[in-house]
Amino acid sequence: MDYLVLILCLYLLWGLFQALSFVARGGRKARPSNLPPGPRPLPIIGNLHQLGDLPHKSLAKLARTYGPIIKLELGFVTTVVISSPALAKEILQTHDAVFSNRMVPNSVMAHDHDKFSVAWVPVSPLFRYLRKIYNSQIFSSKKLDLNQHLRSKKVQELITSVRKCACAGEAVNISEAAFRTSLNAISNTVFSLDMMEPLHPARELKEVVWQIAAEAGKPNLADYFPVLKKIGLRGPKHRLEVHFEKIFNIFDDLTQRRLQLRTETGSDKCNDVLDNLLDLVEDKNETLDMSLVKHLCLDIFVAGGETTASTLEWAMTELLCNPEKLVRAQAELHQVIGKGKQIEEADIPRLPYLQAIVKENFRLHPAAPLLVPRKSGEDFIAGGFTIPKGAQVLINVWAMGRDPSIWDDPDKFMPERFLGSDIDVRGQNFELLPFGGGRRICPGLPLALRMLPLMLGSLINIFNWRLEEGVTPENMNMEDKFGMAIQRAESLKAVPIPV
Ligand code: HEM
C-alpha cells in the first residue's frame, strides 16, 4: 500500500513538473521526433551548465562529439547549433524565409526597442522598409563616398594621439583607441559630430553606448526561463530602460539642434545620416518618423561600435604576434601609398594584402561568433534532423573558421590564404560568415569594410609597433571574453615608433 502511495506521489510530481515545463516553455506542444543529437540535459537547467564562459568554444567542442547539427536545452529554450558551411547555407540562404526571425532577448524589450529596431522586428513591411533605408540612404556606396571625409578626419585625430604617445615613449591602449575611433567615425558618419567635444551633451554618448553594450552582452536568466519574464524582476531589462532613456535624450537634443540649423540656413549641407533621415521624415510619402529615427540611431551605435573596435584590436594583436606579416603589410602600404601616410578609403582596392589581413582576422575572430540568434518558423528538416518550430538557432561561425576540414592550419594567422582567392565575407561563402547572411545579413558591412582597413592601414603605415616590456608573442594572453562582441580578455597595449 505504502508503495502505491509513493508511486502515486511520484506520478503527481512528474505531472506537476511537466505542467510547469509546459508553462515555462510558453505553452508549446511536445517535440517532434528525430531531433538533432546532443548531450543529455539535466532537469530544469538543461544544458546551461555546459556553455561555460566562452559558449562558442564549448559549442565547438560539443560539435566535435555530436556533429555539425546539435540540440541543447538551455533552461527551457530548445537550441539548435549549426557548425558546418553546408547547413549554414540551408539556414541562411536556401531556407532563409523559415529562419529569418530572431529570438528576441528580454532586455531589448526596454522602451519597446524590439518593436522598432531592424535588428529585432520580425520580417514584415517595417523590417523591409528599415532595411531599404540602411541599404539606400545610409550605407550605399554613394552615401558613404559623400561622407568619407568625416571618417578620414577621425583617423587623422587617432594618428595625432598615437604620435603623442610615440613622442613620450608611452604604450597606446589599442582597445581604448579602437573603441574611441570607431565610435567617433560612426558619430561623424551619423551626426557629423565628435563625441569628445567638450561641453557638448553628446560627450556622454560613448559612456552610454559602452554601458548598453556591456548590459546587452550579459547572459540573462529570463531568456532561458520565460516564466521569469512574467515575475518582472528588476534585471537587465530595467537597467537598459535607464540607458536607453539617456541615449534617446541625447539623440533628441542632437536632432532638435539639427532641425533648428536646417530652418535657419534653409539647407541640409552636412550630408550625414541624420540629414538623410530627416529628409525622409519630412517627406510625407515616407513611413519614417522621429521615433523610428531614434531606434535606428541606437542600433547603429550599439551594433557598430564594439564590433568594429574589437575586430580592429584583434587585427593589431595578430600583426604584433606575427611580425613577418606586419612587415609584408607595411611593404605593400609603403609601395602603394607611401611610407608614413594616412590611407584613404579609395586606396583600399589597391591593397590586396591589407584586405587579406582583414579577412583572415574575421576568420579567426568573428565579433559575433554565434551570429545573432535566429528562430525557426516551422518544424524543419536539416541534415536529416528536425529543427523544431520555435527553436533558437545559432550558427557557430567561430567553429567553422577553425575547422581543420575546411582550412589548412586553421589556428595559424596566414593572410596569404586569401590572396588570389574568391572567398569573401559578404555572405556568399558559407565557410566565412562574420557578418551572417541572407536577408538579415549585417547592414553595417559596407561601413565596417571601409573603417577597418582605413584605421588598421594607417596605424601600421605611420608607425612601427612593439609590445610592452615583458610581453612577447609567445606569452601573450590570446583568450577572448564573451559579450555583445567578442573582445580580448586582456586589453592590448603597444608602443608606437614612427616609421
Ligand atoms: C566588424 C564589424 C561588424 C560585424 C562583425 C558585424 C556582425 C553582425 C552580425 C553577425 C549580424 C547578424 C547577422 C545575421 O543574423 O545573419 C549583424 C547584424 C546587424 N548589424 Fe552588424 N556587424 C558589424 C558592424 C556593424 C556596423 C558598423 C553596423 C551599423 C553601423 C551594424 C549594424 C547591424 C544591424 C542593425 C544588425 C541587425 C540586422 C538585422 O537583424 O536585420 N553592424 N552584424
Side-chain angles (χ1 to χ4, degrees):
M1 187 62 188
D2 283 355
Y3 268 118
L4 271 180
V5 173
L6 186 66
I7 288 169
L8 197 65
C9 285
L10 283 177
Y11 264 116
L12 279 175
L13 272 176
W14 175 243
L16 188 67
F17 179 69
Q18 291 297 316
L20 280 174
S21 307
F22 182 76
V23 172
R25 233 180 242 129
R28 273 180 288 109
K29 287 206 290 286
R31 320 297 169 78
S33 55
N34 198 26
L35 292 169
R40 185 182 283 276
L42 296 177
I44 318 275
I45 63 164
N47 304 100
L48 269 179
H49 61 296
Q50 284 165 306
L51 284 187
D53 290 339
L54 297 170
H56 53 298
K57 291 191 179 171
S58 314
L59 294 171
K61 208 165 157 202
L62 286 173
R64 286 199 286 278
T65 309
Y66 295 98
I69 174 166
I70 60 178
K71 180 196 73 87
L72 300 154
E73 298 297 335
L74 302 181
F76 288 99
V77 177
T78 300
T79 299
V80 172
V81 188
I82 302 294
S83 312
S84 81
L87 288 172
K89 184 174 181 188
E90 280 205 47
I91 306 289
L92 296 178
Q93 190 182 62
T94 322
H95 301 286
D96 190 20
V98 179
F99 296 101
S100 48
N101 286 339
R102 298 249 183 248
M103 203 73 176
V104 180
N106 183 245
S107 57
V108 303
M109 292 176 186
H111 283 271
D112 280 343
H113 186 55
D114 59 313
K115 299 199 174 74
F116 303 108
S117 150
V118 75
W120 306 111
V121 290
V123 172
S124 58
L126 177 61
F127 170 78
R128 282 185 279 274
Y129 179 70
L130 290 170
R131 291 287 311 202
K132 198 179 87 192
I133 289 186
Y134 271 98
N135 295 338
S136 62
Q137 300 295 328
I138 306 184
F139 296 140
S140 69
S141 302
K142 202 170 140 211
K143 299 280 177 189
L144 286 175
D145 282 348
L146 274 176
N147 54 35
Q148 58 177 305
H149 60 285
L150 299 169
R151 292 181 291 280
S152 170
K153 210 173 119 226
K154 290 307 102 189
V155 175
Q156 212 175 312
E157 284 169 19
L158 168 70
I159 301 305
T160 309
S161 78
V162 172
R163 191 161 280 133
K164 277 189 197 146
C165 289
C167 290
E170 279 170 11
V172 175
N173 181 331
I174 303 285
S175 151
E176 230 286 312
F179 188 63
R180 182 165 29 97
T181 311
S182 306
L183 226 53
N184 260 336
I186 292 174
S187 73
N188 269 276
T189 308
V190 180
F191 294 123
S192 304
L193 177 93
D194 220 6
M195 290 182 311
M196 303 300 152
E197 252 173 60
L199 302 179
H200 198 288
R203 72 188 188 289
E204 254 190 89
L205 201 55
K206 180 176 163 238
E207 196 54 38
V208 190
V209 173
W210 183 263
Q211 284 162 342
I212 293 176
E215 202 57 65
K218 286 183 197 157
N220 179 1
L221 277 184
D223 292 332
Y224 305 120
F225 302 99
V227 75
L228 292 180
K229 288 180 202 163
K230 304 208 165 70
I231 303 173
L233 293 174
R234 284 190 154 213
K237 182 177 169 214
H238 171 73
R239 288 192 287 275
L240 276 189
E241 297 268 2
V242 177
H243 299 321
F244 283 3
E245 178 86 34
K246 262 197 215 157
I247 206 166
F248 285 157
N249 285 339
I250 297 174
F251 292 156
D252 274 341
D253 181 79
L254 293 170
T255 316
Q256 287 315 318
R257 285 167 188 241
R258 178 64 60 84
L259 284 170
Q260 202 178 337
L261 184 77
R262 283 159 67 107
T263 319
E264 280 165 15
T265 60
S267 76
D268 54 347
K269 44 183 169 16
C270 293
N271 257 329
D272 56 12
V273 171
L274 185 60
D275 265 338
N276 296 331
L277 296 178
L278 291 177
D279 286 346
L280 293 177
V281 172
E282 283 166 9
D283 183 340
K284 293 284 164 281
N285 297 321
E286 294 286 341
T287 318
L288 201 69
D289 61 20
M290 293 309 273
S291 166
L292 280 174
V293 169
K294 277 197 296 195
H295 288 277
L296 202 146
C297 291
L298 171 56
D299 278 342
I300 294 181
F301 278 93
V302 175
E306 206 177 308
T307 44
T308 313
S310 65
T311 306
L312 177 66
E313 188 187 7
W314 272 117
M316 281 295 286
T317 307
E318 288 294 358
L319 288 178
L320 284 167
C321 290
N322 295 277
E324 71 292 356
K325 314 290 176 197
L326 175 59
V327 168
R328 184 163 177 188
Q330 286 176 321
E332 179 185 74
L333 285 157
H334 296 346
Q335 196 201 342
V336 178
I337 311 294
K339 202 173 182 172
K341 286 195 185 141
Q342 179 181 336
I343 79 162
E344 297 298 336
E345 289 176 18
D347 299 324
I348 299 169
R350 295 188 292 138
L351 297 164
Y353 194 69
L354 184 66
Q355 291 185 62
I357 288 176
V358 170
K359 281 186 196 172
E360 178 70 340
N361 187 56
F362 272 132
R363 179 183 73 79
L364 286 170
H365 308 289
L370 301 169
L371 299 185
V372 182
R374 309 285 188 101
K375 186 164 128 184
S376 173
E378 58 186 58
D379 285 351
F380 183 84
I381 308 229
F385 299 104
T386 306
I387 302 179
K389 180 176 177 182
Q392 161 165 261
V393 179
L394 306 176
I395 315 273
N396 196 344
V397 294
W398 184 90
M400 292 191 275
R402 304 214 176 205
D403 184 339
S405 72
I406 304 174
W407 309 96
D408 293 334
D409 278 330
D411 293 327
K412 260 199 179 157
F413 183 74
M414 289 198 306
E416 292 74 13
R417 68 175 90 234
F418 288 110
L419 289 177
S421 145
D422 289 336
I423 297 180
D424 202 355
V425 293
R426 293 168 198 269
Q428 293 306 313
N429 300 104
F430 291 84
E431 61 275 52
L432 188 65
L433 289 170
F435 294 97
R439 71 187 78 182
R440 280 216 111 116
I441 192 170
C442 171
L445 179 153
L447 179 63
L449 290 188
R450 286 175 183 234
M451 290 203 304
L452 286 167
L454 191 66
M455 295 191 281
L456 183 65
S458 298
L459 283 175
I460 61 173
N461 194 35
I462 300 176
F463 302 100
N464 279 317
W465 293 86
R466 70 170 169 77
L467 291 166
E468 278 192 304
E469 217 47 57
V471 184
T472 62
E474 293 74 35
N475 73 10
M476 199 155 164
N477 179 354
M478 293 295 275
E479 278 305 308
D480 39 31
K481 191 170 75 183
F482 199 83
M484 215 198 77
I486 286 290
Q487 290 169 323
R488 281 174 45 83
E490 228 174 77
S491 292
L492 172 66
K493 297 200 187 81
V495 183
I497 305 149
V499 288

